[in-house]
Amino acid sequence: METKQNSAIQKKGKLFMDFMEKINELSKKVEKIKWNLKTEEATKTSIILPFFQILGYDVFDPCEFVPEYTADAGIKKGEKVDYAIMFNNEPLILVEAKSANTELSGKHISQLMRYFSVTKAKFAILTNGIVYQFFSDLEEHNKMDTIPFLKFDLCHSKKETIEELKGFQKDAFDVKLILSSASDLKYMTMVKSMVAEQFQNPSDQLVKLLINKNIYAGTKTQAVLDKFRTIIQKAFEEYINDIITERLSTVISPDTTQIPVVKERGDMVLTQEEVEVLDFVKSRVDTRLNIKYKKTSRYAYMQLGELSTKWICRVYIRKEQHLFVLHKFEDTDYECEYYFDEVEQLEAIKGLIKDTFEKCCKL
């Protein structure tokens, strides 16, 4: 039974890798030819139809993939959407195509909304061959949302969005399954957009909210808000940099407590408690070698010389228990994380501190 399950998982993984490879191949093709695609027809033939072929649709079967599908809206007759993907003789997905050099806009969304409202389609795709915007009627039945629940960019595809796109493959298509995740995808996209906007330019409301948290007790004048806006922007950037640094160090090293590649910043000042702990460690290794104290926004640490790979320990000073972390090596056979209230408690692991220091010296 377990062998069959493993076989099924492996087969599923291979199918996804094949799908991702085909998408990546089309992406490379698009990068080469996109500047030569001046018309809508050229875009359809060169990119859009191959895209839907990768999804498993027979673009040359007029019973499955209907070009110029009639979608008369009200008194307007002869309205046609570029393609309709059919299911049980009814349109399930509408596709409105534009040329590759067209920037998709609200005008195009409104056009697609008209077509959507007069059909039984559950999904609509607006595309210029490069960007694909996926819509549904999540908020009001038979009224297409104005915000797509999924955006897929062939020139900037990510594994996560390819995973979502996979749900639109003909063989895997499940309306209920897609709709169940579409709402979360849509709101996730909106939240990410708002976070990005606040990251680039924090609003007055956000600045007030942050500095009210025991940071600034004075009157929040516009001058004060503008001053803290710059500080908050820098804090955001440094926090993201710290996260990226730690994740990169995890990739470089097999252990999560390895190698913080941190650039020095003059405004990162060690607290008295941090210095006290690092001084304690330095006194226990008893060396004339060049020991340096450094700090990120989350912890202080000690390293040997200029190489960040030779870090010895990290110190996390907290309101509750503090955390002391030793550099873990492949041959380290002891615990490397210790909680403490007073620095004297670290006396119990002075032998381990010295052992870690000696290992750093050999790097």
Side-chain angles (χ1 to χ4, degrees):
M1 183 69 178
E2 188 175 341
T3 304
K4 287 183 178 180
Q5 287 179 338
N6 290 338
S7 178
I9 292 170
Q10 289 174 357
K11 183 179 179 181
K12 189 175 180 182
K14 185 180 184 303
L15 288 173
F16 175 68
M17 293 305 293
D18 291 344
F19 176 66
M20 189 161 65
E21 186 177 340
K22 289 177 183 178
I23 290 292
N24 289 334
E25 285 174 2
L26 182 59
S27 177
K28 290 174 185 176
K29 177 184 174 183
V30 168
E31 288 288 359
K32 291 179 182 177
I33 67 173
K34 63 182 179 181
W35 305 113
N36 297 318
L37 301 175
K38 307 295 184 184
T39 67
E40 187 178 304
E41 286 307 311
T43 303
K44 288 178 181 178
T45 304
S46 301
I47 312 176
I48 296 174
L49 291 182
F51 176 81
F52 283 99
Q53 283 178 313
I54 291 173
L55 289 176
Y57 298 100
D58 185 349
V59 299
F60 301 111
D61 181 355
C63 295
E64 176 177 307
F65 202 88
V66 183
E68 298 294 310
Y69 183 82
T70 300
D72 292 336
I75 59 172
K76 279 195 171 186
K77 300 299 178 183
E79 290 271 82
K80 296 181 185 296
V81 64
D82 289 293
Y83 301 106
I85 298 175
M86 310 296 286
F87 182 76
N88 289 340
N89 295 319
E90 292 287 354
L92 180 61
I93 306 173
L94 303 181
V95 182
E96 181 62 20
K98 302 299 174 185
S99 63
N101 58 6
T102 299
E103 186 174 342
L104 303 178
S105 67
K107 178 180 70 174
H108 305 128
I109 293 174
S110 296
Q111 180 185 4
L112 189 53
M113 285 179 74
R114 292 202 310 271
Y115 302 150
F116 189 91
S117 65
V118 295
T119 70
K120 294 182 179 180
K122 289 303 296 178
F123 302 99
I125 301 173
L126 176 63
T127 181
N128 59 7
I130 300 172
V131 176
Y132 294 77
Q133 299 181 355
F134 293 74
F135 299 85
S136 189
D137 55 351
L138 300 173
E139 297 192 4
E140 188 176 338
H141 179 65
N142 206 38
K143 182 179 179 181
M144 192 184 92
D145 301 330
T146 57
I147 297 173
F149 66 83
L150 175 65
K151 285 185 181 180
F152 183 79
D153 188 334
L154 262 176
C155 292
H156 301 91
S157 60
K158 299 177 182 178
K159 184 178 178 181
E160 294 79 10
T161 49
I162 295 178
E163 277 276 10
E164 297 298 338
L165 180 66
K166 185 167 63 73
F168 278 87
Q169 284 182 289
K170 179 183 174 180
D171 293 340
F173 197 89
D174 185 323
V175 174
K176 290 182 179 179
L177 189 62
I178 294 173
L179 287 175
S180 67
S181 62
S183 180
D184 288 347
L185 278 172
K186 174 185 173 182
Y187 295 121
M188 180 76 74
T189 301
M190 294 170 70
V191 170
K192 283 167 68 177
S193 177
M194 183 173 291
V195 168
E197 183 181 329
Q198 293 294 334
F199 184 86
Q200 295 295 328
N201 185 30
S203 64
D204 285 353
Q205 291 88 340
L206 179 64
V207 174
K208 287 178 183 177
L209 176 67
L210 293 176
I211 65 177
N212 273 336
K213 295 278 187 178
N214 303 320
I215 292 177
Y216 184 80
T219 304
K220 279 71 174 178
T221 64
Q222 192 60 49
V224 168
L225 295 179
D226 291 340
K227 174 187 174 182
F228 274 100
R229 194 185 329 276
T230 303
I231 294 171
I232 289 169
Q233 280 179 297
K234 187 175 180 182
F236 282 164
E237 291 169 5
E238 292 194 354
Y239 178 70
I240 296 298
N241 285 337
D242 286 343
I243 291 175
I244 292 172
T245 294
E246 288 200 17
R247 290 190 177 182
L248 284 175
S249 68
T250 303
V251 173
I252 295 169
S253 166
D255 188 83
T256 55
T257 60
Q258 294 270 6
I259 312 176
V261 186
V262 183
K263 63 180 182 180
E264 291 191 60
R265 293 190 288 267
D267 56 336
M268 300 299 286
V269 180
L270 278 78
T271 66
Q272 184 177 343
E273 286 178 299
E274 289 166 339
V275 171
E276 183 181 0
V277 175
L278 296 179
D279 280 346
F280 172 89
V281 174
K282 186 177 180 181
S283 69
R284 295 308 179 269
V285 299
D286 189 25
T287 181
R288 292 184 181 180
L289 295 176
N290 184 19
I291 296 287
K292 290 203 169 187
Y293 297 176
K294 296 200 174 187
K295 183 173 179 175
T296 73
S297 62
R298 298 174 61 204
Y299 56 84
Y301 67 100
M302 173 188 288
Q303 75 180 40
L304 183 59
E306 298 297 331
L307 293 176
S308 58
T309 54
K310 292 190 173 186
W311 69 277
I312 301 164
C313 65
R314 293 177 181 174
V315 180
Y316 298 78
I317 299 298
R318 301 166 171 174
K319 289 183 180 179
E320 304 293 337
Q321 276 193 313
H322 309 316
L323 175 63
F324 180 80
V325 180
L326 288 170
H327 190 152
K328 188 173 184 178
F329 296 83
E330 287 185 8
D331 61 344
T332 298
D333 58 0
Y334 46 79
E335 182 59 50
C336 290
E337 295 185 1
Y338 301 89
Y339 292 93
F340 67 101
D341 298 305
E342 303 294 336
V343 68
E344 289 76 19
Q345 291 174 276
L346 299 178
E347 184 70 25
I349 59 166
K350 63 180 180 180
L352 305 184
I353 292 172
K354 192 164 185 178
D355 181 68
T356 301
F357 169 73
E358 289 171 355
K359 284 183 169 68
C360 286
C361 291
K362 295 175 184 177
L363 286 174

